[in-house]
């Protein structure tokens, strides 16, 4: 999986490019969401694309594919998500822009009771090739109802697939895989990555859902990151390297299915594990990975497994409190030092 | 309807306070003093003022992301509101909520809620409380034209109707939800048409005219207080600015439209009304303007000079009596 093309583009442009390429390739793909074009119904006034989506993540799509395949919706998440499931059951590959991950709350029933279970309940007769992309995460002062992370909750549900890209390259590969996948996939985008630049091949390519990658090899300990926290792990790794410590970084990418083998192999080599997740810790992915490693690689561990996560609280508005809420490379370095000093 | 001078001055001062609060807030936002999103309601001041003029402290309101006007009209302290938006510990929610989460339970202000539509059933629940207590408090659910399309609105209206709860659903139809025009997103010609489906009265009125809002809200609130059940009041209004501070509304609407509404400015309209019908009030408008400007400047000073809360605030109030689980 080497990047041969060195063209640098932003995360958001990788998202638009992936959607564009897949809509060109497959006429059954269409996109729905709030303000994904903006100014809907006002072509007669010369208005066709007022917003191009929250953060401009769908800019240009309506110009190319028109309002039939780029559908602005009312603020009715339960209704339009359920509608997408219905279209998916009857032969389309809908892509939903769910503006913020917090709004999972509004359409949770459609996700967990229908999208996740219909295939199973109906004896495998049907499939739900649905993709949802959404924005998550704290750090922007958007407070408790617009900063939440629910990918842990979603990964808990059998029948849903959940991926979290960590840069523009992994976004494109995972989004294309998600759209082509025959199961419902939620592509979770950390707001803090949206302006990040990185090398992205211009041709369509896929990254397998259910596979993690190792952006940095090392032997002293394993740092597991999810999305933006992979970037934090890489930042922390630089500091650690200057102190003579060689961490290995696992970029989880896929939360469900979970690539436990990559994590286990790394831990068998490094014998120490720190998992970094911005989600809250109870019943979360970090906790889940810790349980798996204790279960399957206990004999390889030289130290307790540490989790660097948000605390068990909602996201506060005030800047000093929100700063403290978030995982940071400093926290990762501090925890790592504590772990290594135990010897 | 003839109004007392006291009511007239209250309406005027409430609208002005909201206008001045938000215009000053926008200045601070452009200096980077606020975080997240600020949703100005400039242009819409007549609705919260005209409705809340009928309310006592024992009545309840629930509000939206565009809620500064509702909070001010329900009597929430502007110092504490401003400090909240600056994220300071003296804020009405200790700086933990910001502009989109302002509440003062001591004044019946149940909160501005950031999930579109999610505040509405809170007002229905407060109305249920009043019914259970057998008092004559009423509740107001403020919501936008965009929120009108959430399922929860319909569930809430149906519940309120079958139980005849003392609640008024006040739709501030400012004609846009983000960049989406109401005529695209909404099946009904008037949002108030939907009242019929829930067997309650519905009215569409001019929400730029505070006296029109006052009159209509008086009827709806009077019904609720008298035990005659809920109603739906759609106020046609307009926000002068973009959806949030930083959004350019000209990407989805025309300049001529904006100018047309600015000509109907609720505060200027009301000054004209005062000049015609309430000359005594009109004469004191300069003094009121000065009072309002001074109070908002004080609020800004208060917000600047207040401290941030200690880091331990992060862990407080997750539960009433469970310390939660601290990590790091
Ligand atoms: C459930 C949910 N979906 C989407 C959003 C994002 N959002 C915030 S405000 C808004 C528009 C609301 O429009 P309207 O109800 O008309 O209120 P207005 O902003 O015009 O006051 C949207 C889509 C949200 N906060 N909650
Ligand atoms: Mg609106």
């Amino acid at each position: 999986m080497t990047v041969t093309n060195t063209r640098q583009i932003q995360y958001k442009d990788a998202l638009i490019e992936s959607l564009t390429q897949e809509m060109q390739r497959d006429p059954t793909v269409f996109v729905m969401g709030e303000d994904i074009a903006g100014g809907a119904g006002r072509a007669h006034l010369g208005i066709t694309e007022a917003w191009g989506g929250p953060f401009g993540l769908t800019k240009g799509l309506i110009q190319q594919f028109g309002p039939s395949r780029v559908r602005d919706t009312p603020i009715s998440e339960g209704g339009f998500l359920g509608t997408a499931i219905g279209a998916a059951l009857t032969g389309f590959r809908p892509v939903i822009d769910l503006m913020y991950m917090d709004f999972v709350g509004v359409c949770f029933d459609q996700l967990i009771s229908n999208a996740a279970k219909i295939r199973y309940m109906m004896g495998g007769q049907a499939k739900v090739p649905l993709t949802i992309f959404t924005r998550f995460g704290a750090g922007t002062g958007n407070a408790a109802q617009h900063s939440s992370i629910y990918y842990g909750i979603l990964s808990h549900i059998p029948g849903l697939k959940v991926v979290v890209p960590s840069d523009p390259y992994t976004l494109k590969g995972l989004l294309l895989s998600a759209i082509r996948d025959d199961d419902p996939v939620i592509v979770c985008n950390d707001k803090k990555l949206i302006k990040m630049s990185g090398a992205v091949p211009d041709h369509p390519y896929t990254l397998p859902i259910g596979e993690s990658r190792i952006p940095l090899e090392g032997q002293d300990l394993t740092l597991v990151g999810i999305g933006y926290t992979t970037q934090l792990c890489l930042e922390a790794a630089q500091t650690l390297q200057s102190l003579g410590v060689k961490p290995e970084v696992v970029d989880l990418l896929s939360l469900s299915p979970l690539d436990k083998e990559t994590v286990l192999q790394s831990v068998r080599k490094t014998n120490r594990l720190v998992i970094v997740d911005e989600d809250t810790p109870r019943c979360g992915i970090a906790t889940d990975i810790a349980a798996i490693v204790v279960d399957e690689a206990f004999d390889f561990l030289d130290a307790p497994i540490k989790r660097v996560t948000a605390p068990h609280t909602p996201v506060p508005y005030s800047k000093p409190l929100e700063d403290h809420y978030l995982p940071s490379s400093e926290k990762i370095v501090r925890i790592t030092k504590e772990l290594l000093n135990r010897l | 309807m003839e109004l007392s001078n006291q009511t007239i001055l209250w309406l005027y001062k409430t609208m002005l306070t909201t206008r001045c609060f938000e215009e000053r807030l926008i200045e601070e936002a452009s200096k980077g003093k606020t975080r997240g999103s600020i949703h100005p309601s400039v242009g819409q001041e007549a609705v919260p003022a005209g409705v809340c003029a009928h309310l006592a402290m024992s009545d309840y309101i629930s509000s939206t992301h565009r809620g500064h006007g509702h909070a001010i009209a329900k009597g929430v302290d502007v110092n504490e509101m401003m400090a909240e938006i600056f994220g300071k510990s003296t804020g009405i929610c200790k700086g933990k909520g910001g502009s989109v989460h302002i509440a003062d339970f001591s004044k019946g202000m149940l909160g501005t809620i950031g999930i579109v539509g999610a505040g509405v059933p809170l007002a229905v629940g407060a109305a249920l409380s009043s019914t259970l207590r057998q008092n004559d408090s009423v509740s107001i659910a403020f919501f936008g034209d965009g929120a009108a399309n959430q399922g929860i609105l319909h569930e809430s209206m149906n519940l309120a109707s079958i139980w005849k709860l003392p609640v008024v659903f006040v739709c501030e139809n400012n004609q846009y939800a983000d960049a989406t025009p109401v005529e695209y997103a909404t099946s009904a010609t008037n949002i108030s048409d939907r009242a019929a489906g829930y067997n309650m009265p519905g009215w569409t009125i001019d929400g730029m005219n505070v006296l029109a809002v006052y009159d209509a809200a008086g009827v709806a609130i009077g019904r609720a207080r008298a035990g005659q059940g809920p109603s739906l009041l759609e106020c046609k209004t307009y926000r002068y600015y973009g959806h949030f501070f930083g959004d350019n509304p000209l990407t989805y609407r025309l300049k001529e439209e904006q100018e047309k509404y600015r000509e109907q400015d609720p505060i200027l309209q009301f000054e004209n009304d005062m000049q015609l019908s309430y000359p005594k009030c009109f004469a004191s408008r300069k003094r009121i303007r000065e009072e309002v400007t001074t109070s908002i400047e004080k609020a800004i000073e208060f917000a600047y000079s207040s401290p941030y809360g200690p880091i331990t605030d992060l862990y407080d109030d997750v539960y009433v009596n469970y310390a939660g689980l601290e990590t790091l």
Side-chain angles (χ1 to χ4, degrees):
Chain A
M1 225 76 61
T2 48
V3 183
T4 49
N5 185 314
T6 53
R7 180 189 60 145
Q8 299 273 319
I9 61 172
Q10 283 192 352
Y11 193 94
K12 72 170 172 40
D13 297 318
L15 199 146
I16 297 169
E17 183 173 278
S18 316
L19 286 175
T20 307
Q21 291 178 344
E22 206 51 17
M23 288 178 81
Q24 280 164 348
R25 197 185 74 91
D26 182 348
T28 68
V29 175
F30 68 92
V31 191
M32 285 204 270
E34 290 155 18
D35 306 284
I36 58 174
R42 295 220 157 157
H44 61 287
L45 299 179
I47 293 166
T48 47
E49 189 181 39
W51 271 19
F55 302 92
L57 294 193
T58 43
K59 221 177 197 88
L61 285 187
I62 193 155
Q63 321 277 7
Q64 206 171 336
F65 301 104
S68 169
R69 291 180 74 196
V70 181
R71 292 186 167 258
D72 273 4
T73 62
I75 311 174
S76 316
E77 288 86 359
F80 70 72
L81 183 61
T83 301
I85 297 170
L89 287 170
T90 49
F92 282 86
R93 289 188 179 274
V95 178
I96 292 293
D97 177 349
L98 185 64
M99 194 181 281
Y100 285 100
M101 193 180 247
D102 305 73
F103 312 154
V104 157
V106 185
C107 53
F108 200 45
D109 182 54
Q110 287 299 323
L111 259 178
I112 66 172
S113 300
N114 281 345
K117 295 181 180 144
I118 282 180
R119 176 175 178 77
Y120 185 81
M121 296 187 298
M122 312 315 190
Q125 291 180 68
K127 56 184 189 183
V128 184
L130 165 74
T131 302
I132 298 169
F133 69 90
T134 184
R135 302 153 189 78
F136 72 86
T140 51
N142 278 302
Q145 292 183 334
H146 280 66
S147 309
S148 306
I149 296 183
Y150 295 139
Y151 53 56
I153 293 175
L154 295 170
S155 302
H156 183 74
I157 312 292
L160 299 181
K161 292 179 178 172
V162 183
V163 298
V164 190
S166 59
D167 60 14
Y169 173 75
T170 51
L171 166 66
K172 182 167 174 182
L174 287 169
L175 184 58
L176 287 188
S177 289
I179 299 173
R180 294 179 194 179
D181 200 283
D182 281 339
D183 288 316
V185 184
I186 299 121
V187 180
C188 312
N189 305 287
D190 195 313
K191 291 175 227 162
K192 297 185 278 302
L193 290 174
I194 281 171
K195 289 195 176 144
M196 178 190 185
S197 289
V200 179
D202 50 17
H203 62 270
Y205 61 94
T206 57
L207 292 177
I209 293 173
E211 278 186 25
S212 302
R213 59 172 192 165
I214 300 195
L216 181 70
E217 289 191 32
Q219 54 277 312
D220 295 336
L221 85 155
T222 301
L223 298 174
V224 173
I226 299 169
Y228 178 72
T229 65
T230 298
Q231 302 302 336
L232 294 180
C233 289
L234 291 168
E235 212 179 292
Q238 283 195 345
T239 312
L240 291 168
Q241 281 167 338
S242 71
L243 300 171
V245 179
K246 294 200 171 57
E248 176 148 298
V249 175
V250 175
D251 181 8
L252 214 50
L253 294 179
S254 180
L255 308 188
S256 181
L258 183 70
D259 180 5
K260 65 176 186 181
E261 270 319 311
T262 297
V263 177
L264 288 168
Q265 260 171 34
S266 178
V267 173
R268 286 188 198 114
K269 178 170 74 170
T270 66
N271 314 115
R272 289 180 193 82
L273 175 60
V274 177
I275 309 150
V276 187
D277 186 5
E278 195 189 303
D279 198 355
T280 49
R282 300 294 317 279
C283 312
I285 295 294
T287 306
D288 194 30
I289 291 174
I292 291 171
V293 171
V294 168
D295 191 359
E296 302 192 29
F298 183 77
D299 294 335
F300 292 87
L301 286 171
D302 284 348
I305 297 169
K306 287 290 168 189
R307 293 164 299 159
V308 179
T309 67
H312 184 63
T313 78
V315 178
Y317 169 75
S318 150
K319 176 143 174 54
L321 299 188
E322 193 186 32
D323 286 347
H324 195 78
Y325 175 93
L326 287 166
S328 63
S329 60
E330 292 77 31
K331 283 182 190 168
I332 301 171
V333 170
R334 197 176 77 223
I335 294 286
T336 302
K337 281 189 189 160
E338 280 169 25
L339 262 193
L340 294 169
N341 285 342
R342 290 174 58 90
L343 290 183
Chain B
M1 201 200 302
E2 185 72 16
L3 275 66
S4 71
N5 282 352
Q6 197 191 352
T7 303
I8 292 293
L9 289 178
W10 186 90
L11 290 171
Y12 185 59
K13 191 167 179 179
T14 301
M15 289 198 291
L16 264 185
T17 304
T18 304
R19 174 76 51 100
C20 189
F21 182 93
E22 291 194 325
E23 295 283 16
R24 252 333 243 109
L25 182 59
I26 288 169
E27 256 178 75
E28 295 301 317
S30 49
K31 287 190 249 164
K33 294 289 172 194
T34 63
R35 314 190 67 218
S37 299
I38 302 285
H39 305 90
S41 66
V42 175
Q44 304 185 188
E45 296 89 345
V47 182
V51 171
C52 294
H54 297 280
L55 302 183
M57 210 68 98
S58 51
D59 295 319
Y60 300 102
I61 67 168
S62 72
S63 168
T64 73
H65 57 284
R66 203 176 302 288
H68 305 136
H70 307 136
I72 288 169
K74 197 69 177 65
V76 182
D77 181 70
V78 288
N79 290 349
E80 291 177 329
M81 282 177 64
M82 197 65 87
E84 182 60 35
I85 301 171
F86 277 60
K88 300 298 182 71
S89 66
T90 52
I92 189 74
C93 303
K94 301 182 189 162
K96 289 165 85 169
S99 163
V100 180
H101 307 297
I102 287 174
D104 187 344
F105 285 79
S106 71
K107 299 197 167 121
M109 165 48 174
L110 303 176
T112 62
I113 299 289
I115 305 293
V116 168
V120 170
L122 305 184
V124 177
L128 176 60
S129 289
S130 314
T131 301
L132 292 172
R133 287 207 180 87
Q134 300 183 319
N135 65 25
D136 74 344
S137 291
V138 298
S139 297
I140 309 293
F142 287 105
F143 63 100
D145 49 289
N149 297 319
Q150 281 287 31
I152 194 93
L153 250 296
H154 300 270
E155 298 174 24
S156 301
M157 287 196 278
N158 186 56
L159 258 180
S161 181
I162 63 166
W163 289 340
K164 263 194 160 196
L165 298 178
V167 54
V168 181
F169 298 93
V170 177
C171 180
E172 293 177 312
N173 180 354
N174 62 11
Q175 304 170 54
Y176 295 89
D178 288 358
T180 298
V182 63
E183 75 272 6
Y184 169 81
T186 312
S187 53
T189 311
N190 292 310
I191 288 167
S192 67
D193 294 347
R194 290 180 172 168
Y198 302 102
N199 196 22
M200 63 173 82
W203 304 275
T204 298
I205 58 152
D206 177 4
M208 304 297 278
N209 180 336
V210 71
L211 293 175
V213 177
Y214 181 87
D215 287 349
V219 173
I221 291 170
R223 270 179 53 89
R225 271 203 217 289
Q228 292 169 333
S231 44
L232 170 57
L233 181 60
E234 175 189 14
C235 306
K236 285 258 171 91
T237 180
Y238 204 74
R239 58 165 158 78
Y240 292 173
Y241 291 102
H243 172 62
F244 52 85
F245 166 72
D247 172 39
N248 172 13
L250 288 175
T251 57
Y252 47 86
R253 64 191 196 191
L254 301 181
K255 214 169 168 188
E256 300 82 76
E257 182 187 281
Q258 298 192 157
E259 280 159 8
K260 186 184 95 187
Y261 281 98
R262 274 184 187 265
E263 278 164 23
Q264 304 168 36
D265 184 80
I267 296 176
L268 294 182
Q269 255 197 79
F270 191 49
E271 285 180 350
N272 291 338
D273 288 338
M274 287 199 295
Q275 189 171 18
L276 276 175
S277 313
Y278 302 93
K280 256 197 180 155
C281 298
F282 185 70
S284 53
R285 72 193 188 288
K286 211 173 146 233
R287 174 179 57 79
I288 291 181
R289 273 185 185 271
E290 281 164 8
E291 274 173 30
V292 166
T293 315
T294 309
S295 80
I296 299 301
E297 283 316 314
K298 272 200 186 138
I300 294 279
E301 273 167 40
F302 180 74
Y304 267 95
S305 61
S306 292
Y308 286 112
I311 293 302
T312 49
D313 277 3
L314 172 59
Y315 307 103
D316 284 346
D317 298 324
V318 182
Y319 302 95
V320 174
N321 57 8
Y322 162 41
L325 210 165
E326 294 184 19
T327 309
L328 295 176

